[in-house]
Amino acid sequence: ALNCDVSICTTGVAGPDRDEQGTEVGTVYISCAYNQIVETKKFRFNSELSRHQIRLSTIKEALSFASSF
């Protein structure tokens, strides 16, 4: 056990191309867990953003999401 209070998990397609299933670039899922409660949100970032910008947006949203618990 890691003795964590909050857990954050992300997955998605940052680009430059769609994934093998055809998921659009910019599609990201973020999950947060706290006190055995897990919530997941789907985000659609602008596909015109660079891979780096999508990753930075994901980090920002993940931290914001976790702080809302």
Side-chain angles (χ1 to χ4, degrees):
L2 297 175
N3 288 330
C4 297
D5 292 326
V6 177
S7 176
I8 303 170
C9 180
T10 65
T11 189
V13 183
D17 300 316
R18 296 177 183 206
D19 68 5
E20 297 81 23
Q21 291 79 33
T23 307
E24 293 283 337
V25 171
T27 304
V28 174
Y29 294 87
I30 300 172
S31 293
C32 291
Y34 177 72
N35 282 340
Q36 299 182 356
I37 297 170
V38 179
E39 290 188 31
T40 301
K41 293 183 181 181
K42 180 180 179 179
F43 294 84
R44 286 296 318 262
F45 299 112
N46 185 336
S47 62
E48 297 298 315
L49 294 175
S50 71
R51 178 179 173 82
H52 180 72
Q53 290 170 315
I54 291 172
R55 293 176 79 189
L56 288 177
S57 295
T58 300
I59 293 166
K60 179 181 174 185
E61 291 296 338
L63 293 174
S64 175
F65 186 22
S67 70
S68 70
F69 267 78

